[in-house]
Coordinates of all heavy atoms in Angstrom, one line a residue:
M89 N -64.2 -10.9 -104.5 CA -64.2 -12.3 -105.0 C -65.1 -13.1 -104.1 O -65.0 -13.0 -102.9 CB -62.7 -12.8 -104.9 CG -62.6 -14.2 -105.3 SD -60.9 -14.8 -105.3 CE -60.1 -13.8 -106.6
T90 N -65.9 -13.9 -104.8 CA -66.8 -14.8 -104.0 C -66.0 -16.0 -103.5 O -64.9 -16.4 -104.1 CB -68.0 -15.3 -104.9 OG1 -67.5 -16.1 -105.9 CG2 -68.7 -14.1 -105.5
I91 N -66.6 -16.7 -102.6 CA -66.0 -18.0 -102.1 C -65.9 -19.0 -103.2 O -64.9 -19.7 -103.4 CB -66.8 -18.5 -100.9 CG1 -66.5 -17.6 -99.7 CG2 -66.5 -20.0 -100.6 CD1 -67.2 -18.0 -98.4
E92 N -66.9 -19.0 -104.1 CA -66.9 -20.0 -105.2 C -65.8 -19.6 -106.2 O -65.1 -20.5 -106.6 CB -68.3 -19.9 -106.0 CG -69.4 -20.5 -105.2 CD -69.9 -19.6 -104.1 OE1 -69.7 -18.4 -104.1 OE2 -70.5 -20.2 -103.1
E93 N -65.6 -18.4 -106.4 CA -64.5 -18.0 -107.3 C -63.1 -18.3 -106.7 O -62.2 -18.8 -107.3 CB -64.5 -16.4 -107.6 CG -65.6 -16.0 -108.5 CD -65.9 -14.5 -108.6 OE1 -65.5 -13.8 -107.6 OE2 -66.4 -14.1 -109.5
F94 N -63.0 -18.1 -105.4 CA -61.8 -18.4 -104.7 C -61.4 -19.9 -104.8 O -60.3 -20.2 -105.0 CB -61.9 -17.9 -103.2 CG -60.7 -18.1 -102.4 CD1 -59.8 -17.0 -102.2 CD2 -60.2 -19.3 -101.9 CE1 -58.7 -17.1 -101.5 CE2 -59.1 -19.4 -101.2 CZ -58.3 -18.3 -101.0
E95 N -62.5 -20.7 -104.6 CA -62.2 -22.1 -104.5 C -61.9 -22.7 -105.8 O -61.6 -23.9 -105.9 CB -63.4 -22.8 -103.8 CG -63.4 -22.4 -102.3 CD -64.6 -23.0 -101.5 OE1 -65.6 -23.4 -102.1 OE2 -64.5 -23.0 -100.2
K96 N -61.9 -22.0 -106.9 CA -61.5 -22.5 -108.2 C -60.0 -22.5 -108.3 O -59.4 -23.2 -109.2 CB -62.0 -21.6 -109.3 CG -63.5 -21.9 -109.5 CD -64.1 -21.1 -110.8 CE -65.6 -21.3 -110.9 NZ -66.3 -20.2 -111.4
F97 N -59.3 -21.8 -107.4 CA -57.8 -21.8 -107.4 C -57.3 -23.1 -106.8 O -57.7 -23.5 -105.8 CB -57.3 -20.6 -106.7 CG -57.4 -19.3 -107.4 CD1 -58.5 -18.5 -107.1 CD2 -56.5 -18.9 -108.3 CE1 -58.7 -17.3 -107.8 CE2 -56.7 -17.7 -109.0 CZ -57.8 -16.9 -108.7
D98 N -56.3 -23.7 -107.5 CA -55.6 -24.8 -107.0 C -54.6 -24.5 -105.9 O -54.1 -23.3 -105.9 CB -54.8 -25.4 -108.2 CG -54.3 -26.8 -107.9 OD1 -53.1 -26.9 -107.4 OD2 -55.0 -27.7 -108.2
M99 N -54.4 -25.4 -105.0 CA -53.5 -25.1 -103.9 C -52.1 -24.9 -104.4 O -51.3 -24.3 -103.7 CB -53.5 -26.3 -102.9 CG -54.7 -26.4 -102.0 SD -55.0 -24.9 -101.0 CE -56.7 -24.5 -101.5
N100 N -51.8 -25.3 -105.6 CA -50.4 -25.1 -106.2 C -50.3 -23.8 -106.9 O -49.3 -23.5 -107.4 CB -50.0 -26.2 -107.1 CG -49.8 -27.5 -106.4 OD1 -49.3 -27.5 -105.2 ND2 -50.2 -28.6 -106.9
Y101 N -51.4 -23.0 -106.9 CA -51.4 -21.7 -107.6 C -50.4 -20.8 -107.0 O -50.4 -20.7 -105.7 CB -52.8 -21.1 -107.6 CG -52.8 -19.7 -108.2 CD1 -52.8 -19.6 -109.6 CD2 -52.8 -18.6 -107.4 CE1 -52.7 -18.3 -110.2 CE2 -52.8 -17.3 -108.0 CZ -52.8 -17.2 -109.4 OH -52.7 -15.9 -109.9
T102 N -49.5 -20.2 -107.8 CA -48.5 -19.3 -107.2 C -49.1 -17.9 -107.0 O -49.4 -17.2 -108.0 CB -47.3 -19.2 -108.2 OG1 -46.8 -20.5 -108.3 CG2 -46.2 -18.3 -107.6
V103 N -49.4 -17.6 -105.8 CA -49.9 -16.3 -105.4 C -48.9 -15.2 -105.6 O -49.1 -14.1 -106.2 CB -50.5 -16.3 -104.0 CG1 -51.0 -14.9 -103.6 CG2 -51.6 -17.3 -103.9
C104 N -47.7 -15.4 -105.0 CA -46.6 -14.5 -105.0 C -45.5 -15.0 -106.0 O -44.8 -16.0 -105.6 CB -46.0 -14.3 -103.6 SG -44.6 -13.1 -103.7
E105 N -45.4 -14.4 -107.1 CA -44.4 -14.8 -108.1 C -43.0 -14.4 -107.7 O -42.0 -15.1 -108.0 CB -44.7 -14.3 -109.5 CG -45.9 -14.9 -110.1 CD -46.0 -14.8 -111.6 OE1 -45.4 -13.8 -112.1 OE2 -46.6 -15.6 -112.3
C106 N -42.9 -13.3 -107.0 CA -41.5 -12.9 -106.6 C -40.8 -13.9 -105.7 O -39.6 -14.1 -105.8 CB -41.6 -11.5 -105.9 SG -42.1 -10.2 -106.9
F107 N -41.6 -14.5 -104.8 CA -41.0 -15.5 -103.9 C -41.5 -16.9 -104.1 O -41.2 -17.8 -103.3 CB -41.2 -15.0 -102.5 CG -40.4 -13.8 -102.1 CD1 -41.0 -12.6 -102.0 CD2 -39.0 -13.9 -101.9 CE1 -40.2 -11.5 -101.7 CE2 -38.3 -12.8 -101.5 CZ -38.9 -11.6 -101.5
D108 N -42.3 -17.1 -105.2 CA -42.8 -18.5 -105.5 C -43.6 -19.1 -104.3 O -43.3 -20.2 -103.9 CB -41.6 -19.4 -105.9 CG -42.0 -20.6 -106.7 OD1 -43.1 -20.5 -107.3 OD2 -41.3 -21.5 -106.8
V109 N -44.5 -18.3 -103.8 CA -45.3 -18.8 -102.7 C -46.7 -19.2 -103.2 O -47.4 -18.4 -103.8 CB -45.4 -17.7 -101.6 CG1 -46.2 -18.2 -100.4 CG2 -44.1 -17.2 -101.2
T110 N -47.1 -20.4 -102.9 CA -48.4 -20.9 -103.4 C -49.5 -20.6 -102.4 O -49.3 -20.3 -101.2 CB -48.3 -22.4 -103.5 OG1 -48.1 -23.0 -102.2 CG2 -47.2 -22.9 -104.5
L111 N -50.7 -20.8 -102.9 CA -51.9 -20.6 -102.1 C -51.9 -21.6 -100.9 O -52.2 -21.3 -99.8 CB -53.2 -20.9 -103.0 CG -54.5 -20.9 -102.3 CD1 -54.7 -19.6 -101.5 CD2 -55.6 -21.1 -103.2
G112 N -51.5 -22.9 -101.2 CA -51.4 -23.9 -100.1 C -50.5 -23.5 -99.0 O -50.8 -23.6 -97.8
T113 N -49.3 -22.9 -99.4 CA -48.4 -22.4 -98.3 C -49.0 -21.3 -97.5 O -48.9 -21.3 -96.3 CB -47.1 -21.9 -99.0 OG1 -46.5 -23.1 -99.7 CG2 -46.1 -21.3 -98.0
L114 N -49.7 -20.4 -98.2 CA -50.3 -19.3 -97.5 C -51.5 -19.8 -96.5 O -51.6 -19.3 -95.4 CB -50.8 -18.2 -98.4 CG -49.7 -17.5 -99.2 CD1 -50.1 -16.9 -100.4 CD2 -49.0 -16.5 -98.2
L115 N -52.3 -20.7 -97.0 CA -53.3 -21.2 -96.1 C -52.8 -22.0 -95.0 O -53.3 -21.9 -93.8 CB -54.3 -22.1 -96.9 CG -55.3 -21.3 -97.9 CD1 -56.1 -22.2 -98.7 CD2 -56.2 -20.3 -97.1
D116 N -51.7 -22.7 -95.2 CA -51.0 -23.4 -94.1 C -50.5 -22.4 -93.0 O -50.6 -22.7 -91.8 CB -49.8 -24.3 -94.6 CG -50.3 -25.6 -95.2 OD1 -51.5 -25.9 -95.1 OD2 -49.5 -26.2 -95.9
A117 N -50.0 -21.3 -93.5 CA -49.4 -20.3 -92.6 C -50.6 -19.7 -91.8 O -50.4 -19.4 -90.6 CB -48.7 -19.2 -93.4
I118 N -51.7 -19.5 -92.5 CA -52.9 -19.0 -91.7 C -53.3 -20.0 -90.7 O -53.6 -19.6 -89.5 CB -54.1 -18.6 -92.7 CG1 -53.7 -17.4 -93.5 CG2 -55.4 -18.5 -92.0 CD1 -54.7 -17.1 -94.7
K119 N -53.4 -21.2 -91.0 CA -53.7 -22.3 -90.1 C -52.8 -22.3 -88.9 O -53.1 -22.6 -87.8 CB -53.8 -23.6 -90.7 CG -55.0 -23.9 -91.6 CD -54.9 -25.2 -92.3 CE -55.9 -25.2 -93.5 NZ -55.6 -26.2 -94.5
A120 N -51.5 -21.9 -89.1 CA -50.5 -21.9 -88.1 C -50.6 -20.6 -87.2 O -49.8 -20.4 -86.3 CB -49.1 -22.0 -88.7
G121 N -51.6 -19.7 -87.6 CA -51.8 -18.6 -86.7 C -51.4 -17.2 -87.3 O -51.6 -16.2 -86.7
H122 N -50.9 -17.2 -88.6 CA -50.5 -16.0 -89.2 C -51.7 -15.5 -90.0 O -51.8 -15.7 -91.2 CB -49.3 -16.2 -90.1 CG -48.2 -16.9 -89.4 ND1 -47.4 -16.2 -88.5 CD2 -47.8 -18.2 -89.3 CE1 -46.5 -17.1 -87.9 NE2 -46.8 -18.3 -88.4
K123 N -52.6 -14.8 -89.3 CA -54.0 -14.6 -89.9 C -54.2 -13.2 -90.5 O -55.3 -12.8 -90.8 CB -55.0 -14.9 -88.8 CG -55.1 -16.3 -88.4 CD -56.1 -16.6 -87.4 CE -56.1 -18.1 -87.0 NZ -56.6 -19.0 -87.9
T124 N -53.1 -12.4 -90.6 CA -53.3 -11.1 -91.2 C -52.3 -11.0 -92.4 O -51.4 -11.8 -92.5 CB -52.9 -9.9 -90.3 OG1 -51.6 -10.0 -89.9 CG2 -53.8 -10.0 -89.0
V125 N -52.5 -10.0 -93.3 CA -51.6 -9.8 -94.4 C -50.2 -9.5 -93.9 O -49.3 -10.2 -94.4 CB -52.1 -8.6 -95.3 CG1 -51.0 -8.3 -96.3 CG2 -53.4 -9.0 -96.0
D126 N -50.1 -8.7 -92.9 CA -48.7 -8.4 -92.4 C -48.1 -9.7 -91.8 O -46.9 -9.9 -92.0 CB -48.8 -7.4 -91.3 CG -48.9 -6.0 -91.9 OD1 -48.7 -5.8 -93.1 OD2 -49.3 -5.1 -91.1
A127 N -48.8 -10.5 -91.1 CA -48.3 -11.7 -90.5 C -47.9 -12.7 -91.6 O -46.9 -13.4 -91.5 CB -49.3 -12.4 -89.6
L128 N -48.7 -12.8 -92.7 CA -48.4 -13.7 -93.8 C -47.1 -13.2 -94.5 O -46.2 -14.0 -94.9 CB -49.5 -13.7 -94.8 CG -50.7 -14.5 -94.5 CD1 -51.8 -14.4 -95.6 CD2 -50.3 -16.0 -94.3
M129 N -46.9 -11.9 -94.6 CA -45.7 -11.3 -95.3 C -44.5 -11.6 -94.4 O -43.5 -12.1 -94.9 CB -45.9 -9.8 -95.4 CG -46.9 -9.5 -96.5 SD -47.4 -7.7 -96.6 CE -45.8 -6.9 -96.8
D130 N -44.6 -11.5 -93.1 CA -43.5 -11.8 -92.2 C -43.1 -13.3 -92.3 O -41.9 -13.6 -92.3 CB -43.9 -11.4 -90.8 CG -43.8 -10.0 -90.5 OD1 -43.2 -9.2 -91.3 OD2 -44.3 -9.5 -89.4
E131 N -44.1 -14.1 -92.3 CA -43.9 -15.6 -92.3 C -43.4 -16.2 -93.6 O -42.5 -17.0 -93.6 CB -45.2 -16.3 -91.8 CG -45.1 -17.8 -91.7 CD -44.2 -18.3 -90.6 OE1 -43.7 -17.5 -89.8 OE2 -43.8 -19.5 -90.7
T132 N -43.9 -15.7 -94.7 CA -43.6 -16.4 -96.0 C -42.8 -15.5 -97.0 O -42.4 -16.0 -98.0 CB -44.9 -16.7 -96.7 OG1 -45.6 -15.5 -97.1 CG2 -45.9 -17.6 -95.8
D133 N -42.6 -14.2 -96.7 CA -42.0 -13.2 -97.6 C -42.9 -12.8 -98.7 O -42.6 -11.9 -99.5 CB -40.7 -13.7 -98.2 CG -39.6 -13.7 -97.2 OD1 -39.7 -12.9 -96.2 OD2 -38.6 -14.4 -97.3
A134 N -44.1 -13.5 -98.9 CA -45.0 -13.1 -100.0 C -45.4 -11.7 -99.8 O -45.6 -11.2 -98.7 CB -46.2 -14.0 -99.9
G135 N -45.4 -11.0 -100.9 CA -45.9 -9.6 -100.9 C -44.8 -8.6 -100.5 O -45.1 -7.4 -100.4
T136 N -43.6 -9.0 -100.3 CA -42.6 -8.1 -99.7 C -41.6 -7.6 -100.8 O -40.6 -6.9 -100.5 CB -41.8 -8.8 -98.6 OG1 -41.1 -9.9 -99.1 CG2 -42.7 -9.1 -97.4
A137 N -41.8 -8.0 -102.1 CA -40.9 -7.4 -103.1 C -41.7 -6.4 -104.0 O -41.8 -5.3 -103.6 CB -40.3 -8.6 -104.0
C138 N -42.3 -6.8 -105.1 CA -43.0 -5.9 -105.9 C -44.3 -5.4 -105.3 O -44.9 -4.4 -105.7 CB -43.3 -6.5 -107.3 SG -44.7 -7.7 -107.3
E139 N -44.8 -6.2 -104.3 CA -46.0 -5.9 -103.5 C -47.3 -6.0 -104.3 O -48.4 -5.8 -103.7 CB -46.0 -4.5 -102.9 CG -44.7 -4.3 -102.0 CD -44.7 -2.9 -101.3 OE1 -45.5 -2.1 -101.6 OE2 -43.8 -2.8 -100.4
L140 N -47.3 -6.4 -105.5 CA -48.6 -6.5 -106.3 C -49.5 -7.6 -105.8 O -50.7 -7.5 -105.9 CB -48.3 -6.8 -107.8 CG -47.6 -5.7 -108.5 CD1 -47.3 -6.1 -110.0 CD2 -48.4 -4.4 -108.5
C141 N -49.0 -8.6 -105.2 CA -49.8 -9.7 -104.7 C -50.5 -9.4 -103.3 O -51.3 -10.2 -102.8 CB -49.1 -11.0 -104.6 SG -47.7 -11.0 -103.4
Q142 N -50.2 -8.2 -102.8 CA -50.8 -7.8 -101.5 C -52.3 -7.6 -101.6 O -53.1 -8.0 -100.7 CB -50.1 -6.6 -100.9 CG -48.8 -6.8 -100.3 CD -48.2 -5.6 -99.7 OE1 -49.0 -4.7 -99.2 NE2 -46.9 -5.4 -99.7
S143 N -52.7 -6.8 -102.6 CA -54.1 -6.5 -102.7 C -54.4 -5.9 -104.1 O -53.5 -5.4 -104.8 CB -54.5 -5.4 -101.6 OG -53.9 -4.1 -102.0
K144 N -55.7 -6.0 -104.4 CA -56.1 -5.4 -105.7 C -55.9 -3.9 -105.7 O -55.6 -3.3 -106.8 CB -57.6 -5.7 -105.9 CG -57.9 -6.7 -107.0 CD -59.4 -6.8 -107.2 CE -59.6 -7.9 -108.2 NZ -60.9 -8.5 -108.1
A145 N -56.0 -3.3 -104.6 CA -55.8 -1.8 -104.5 C -54.4 -1.4 -105.0 O -54.2 -0.4 -105.6 CB -56.1 -1.3 -103.1
I146 N -53.4 -2.3 -104.6 CA -52.0 -2.0 -105.0 C -51.8 -2.5 -106.5 O -51.1 -1.8 -107.2 CB -51.0 -2.7 -104.1 CG1 -51.1 -2.1 -102.7 CG2 -49.6 -2.7 -104.6 CD1 -50.4 -2.8 -101.6
D147 N -52.4 -3.6 -106.8 CA -52.3 -4.2 -108.1 C -53.3 -3.6 -109.1 O -54.2 -4.3 -109.6 CB -52.5 -5.8 -107.9 CG -52.3 -6.5 -109.2 OD1 -51.7 -6.0 -110.2 OD2 -52.8 -7.7 -109.3
E148 N -53.1 -2.3 -109.4 CA -54.1 -1.6 -110.2 C -54.3 -2.2 -111.6 O -55.4 -2.1 -112.1 CB -53.7 -0.1 -110.3 CG -53.9 0.6 -109.0 CD -53.4 2.1 -109.1 OE1 -52.7 2.4 -110.0 OE2 -53.8 2.8 -108.2
D149 N -53.2 -2.8 -112.2 CA -53.4 -3.3 -113.5 C -53.8 -4.7 -113.6 O -53.8 -5.3 -114.6 CB -52.0 -3.1 -114.3 CG -51.7 -1.6 -114.5 OD1 -52.6 -0.8 -114.5 OD2 -50.5 -1.3 -114.6
G150 N -54.0 -5.3 -112.4 CA -54.5 -6.7 -112.3 C -53.4 -7.7 -112.8 O -53.8 -8.7 -113.4
D151 N -52.2 -7.5 -112.4 CA -51.1 -8.4 -112.8 C -51.3 -9.8 -112.1 O -51.0 -10.8 -112.7 CB -49.8 -7.9 -112.4 CG -49.2 -6.9 -113.4 OD1 -49.9 -6.7 -114.5 OD2 -48.2 -6.2 -113.1
R152 N -51.8 -9.8 -110.9 CA -52.0 -11.0 -110.1 C -53.5 -11.3 -110.1 O -54.3 -10.4 -109.9 CB -51.4 -10.9 -108.7 CG -50.0 -10.4 -108.6 CD -49.0 -11.3 -109.4 NE -49.2 -12.7 -109.0 CZ -49.1 -13.7 -109.9 NH1 -49.0 -13.5 -111.1 NH2 -49.3 -14.9 -109.5
E153 N -53.9 -12.6 -110.1 CA -55.3 -13.0 -110.0 C -55.8 -13.1 -108.6 O -57.0 -13.0 -108.4 CB -55.5 -14.3 -110.7 CG -55.4 -14.3 -112.2 CD -55.6 -15.6 -112.8 OE1 -56.8 -16.1 -112.8 OE2 -54.7 -16.3 -113.3
L154 N -54.9 -13.4 -107.7 CA -55.3 -13.6 -106.3 C -54.3 -12.9 -105.4 O -53.1 -12.8 -105.7 CB -55.2 -15.1 -106.0 CG -55.7 -15.6 -104.7 CD1 -57.2 -15.3 -104.5 CD2 -55.6 -17.2 -104.7
H155 N -54.9 -12.2 -104.3 CA -54.0 -11.4 -103.5 C -54.1 -11.8 -102.0 O -55.1 -12.4 -101.6 CB -54.5 -9.9 -103.6 CG -54.5 -9.5 -105.1 ND1 -55.6 -9.7 -105.9 CD2 -53.6 -8.8 -105.8 CE1 -55.3 -9.2 -107.1 NE2 -54.1 -8.7 -107.1
L156 N -53.1 -11.4 -101.3 CA -53.1 -11.8 -99.9 C -54.3 -11.4 -99.1 O -54.8 -12.1 -98.3 CB -51.8 -11.2 -99.2 CG -50.5 -11.7 -99.8 CD1 -49.3 -11.0 -99.0 CD2 -50.3 -13.2 -99.8
D157 N -54.8 -10.2 -99.3 CA -56.0 -9.7 -98.6 C -57.2 -10.5 -98.9 O -58.0 -10.8 -98.0 CB -56.2 -8.2 -98.8 CG -56.6 -7.8 -100.2 OD1 -56.3 -8.6 -101.1 OD2 -57.1 -6.7 -100.3
E158 N -57.3 -11.1 -100.1 CA -58.4 -11.9 -100.5 C -58.3 -13.3 -99.8 O -59.3 -13.9 -99.4 CB -58.5 -12.1 -102.0 CG -58.8 -10.8 -102.7 CD -58.6 -10.9 -104.2 OE1 -57.5 -11.2 -104.7 OE2 -59.5 -10.5 -105.0
I159 N -57.1 -13.7 -99.6 CA -56.9 -15.0 -98.9 C -57.2 -14.9 -97.4 O -57.9 -15.7 -96.9 CB -55.4 -15.5 -99.1 CG1 -55.1 -15.7 -100.6 CG2 -55.1 -16.8 -98.3 CD1 -53.7 -15.9 -101.0
V160 N -56.8 -13.8 -96.9 CA -57.1 -13.5 -95.4 C -58.6 -13.4 -95.3 O -59.2 -14.0 -94.3 CB -56.4 -12.2 -95.0 CG1 -57.0 -11.7 -93.7 CG2 -54.9 -12.5 -94.9
A161 N -59.3 -12.7 -96.2 CA -60.8 -12.6 -96.1 C -61.5 -13.9 -96.2 O -62.4 -14.2 -95.5 CB -61.3 -11.6 -97.2
Y162 N -61.0 -14.8 -97.2 CA -61.5 -16.1 -97.4 C -61.4 -16.9 -96.1 O -62.3 -17.6 -95.6 CB -60.8 -16.8 -98.5 CG -61.2 -18.2 -98.7 CD1 -62.4 -18.6 -99.3 CD2 -60.4 -19.2 -98.2 CE1 -62.7 -20.0 -99.5 CE2 -60.7 -20.6 -98.3 CZ -61.9 -20.9 -99.0 OH -62.2 -22.3 -99.1
A163 N -60.2 -16.9 -95.5 CA -59.9 -17.7 -94.3 C -60.8 -17.3 -93.2 O -61.3 -18.1 -92.4 CB -58.4 -17.6 -93.9
K164 N -61.0 -16.0 -93.1 CA -61.9 -15.4 -92.0 C -63.3 -15.9 -92.2 O -64.0 -16.4 -91.3 CB -61.8 -13.9 -92.0 CG -62.3 -13.3 -90.7 CD -62.1 -11.8 -90.8 CE -60.9 -11.4 -89.9 NZ -60.7 -10.0 -89.8
A165 N -63.8 -15.8 -93.5 CA -65.2 -16.3 -93.8 C -65.4 -17.7 -93.6 O -66.4 -18.2 -93.1 CB -65.5 -15.9 -95.3
K166 N -64.3 -18.5 -93.8 CA -64.4 -20.0 -93.6 C -64.0 -20.4 -92.2 O -63.9 -21.6 -91.9 CB -63.6 -20.7 -94.7 CG -64.0 -20.5 -96.1 CD -65.3 -21.1 -96.4 CE -65.1 -22.5 -97.1 NZ -66.4 -23.1 -97.5
E167 N -63.6 -19.4 -91.4 CA -63.2 -19.7 -90.0 C -62.0 -20.7 -90.0 O -61.9 -21.6 -89.2 CB -64.3 -20.2 -89.1 CG -65.4 -19.1 -89.0 CD -66.6 -19.5 -88.1 OE1 -66.5 -20.7 -87.6 OE2 -67.5 -18.8 -88.0
I168 N -61.0 -20.4 -90.9 CA -59.8 -21.2 -90.9 C -58.8 -20.7 -89.9 O -58.6 -19.5 -89.9 CB -59.2 -21.2 -92.4 CG1 -60.1 -22.0 -93.3 CG2 -57.8 -21.8 -92.4 CD1 -59.7 -21.9 -94.8
Ligands
LIG278 S1 -45.8 -11.1 -106.6 FE1 -45.7 -11.0 -104.5 S2 -44.2 -9.5 -104.0 FE2 -44.2 -9.6 -106.1

């Protein structure tokens, strides 16, 4: 996913449906120092139920549009 594609997502977009965790919540957690997928899962519970929102590799059928690993990669690219 390109940075431009990523930035089309609203901060209220629900990344993790199992726990109702938004993109804004996940970026706030990254800003607070939880900068890996595992750290985000520990902090927010996102990705810890069906696991589909963790990565495209796990979400083979594309159930989720945005995944935790893509958020971590975006944050790294933007030095968040
Ligand atoms: S959508 Fe995130 S764990 Fe199910």
Side-chain angles (χ1 to χ4, degrees):
M89 175 177 296
T90 66
I91 286 179
E92 290 74 24
E93 287 168 338
F94 186 98
E95 290 179 344
K96 287 187 183 144
F97 286 95
D98 190 271
M99 286 300 128
N100 292 323
Y101 176 76
T102 301
V103 176
C104 180
E105 287 200 337
C106 292
F107 289 104
D108 202 19
V109 183
T110 65
L111 175 57
T113 296
L114 290 161
L115 286 174
D116 284 347
I118 287 173
K119 285 177 196 157
H122 308 283
K123 294 181 184 286
T124 65
V125 170
D126 283 345
L128 283 177
M129 289 168 58
D130 282 348
E131 178 65 13
T132 68
D133 286 337
T136 61
C138 76
E139 302 184 351
L140 294 177
C141 64
Q142 283 184 30
S143 71
K144 249 186 189 158
I146 293 171
D147 182 18
E148 288 178 342
D149 294 334
D151 281 352
R152 307 302 308 138
E153 286 183 72
L154 186 59
H155 305 87
L156 298 180
D157 64 340
E158 294 167 307
I159 300 168
V160 166
Y162 171 82
K164 197 175 258 184
K166 296 292 262 186
E167 298 181 3
I168 292 173

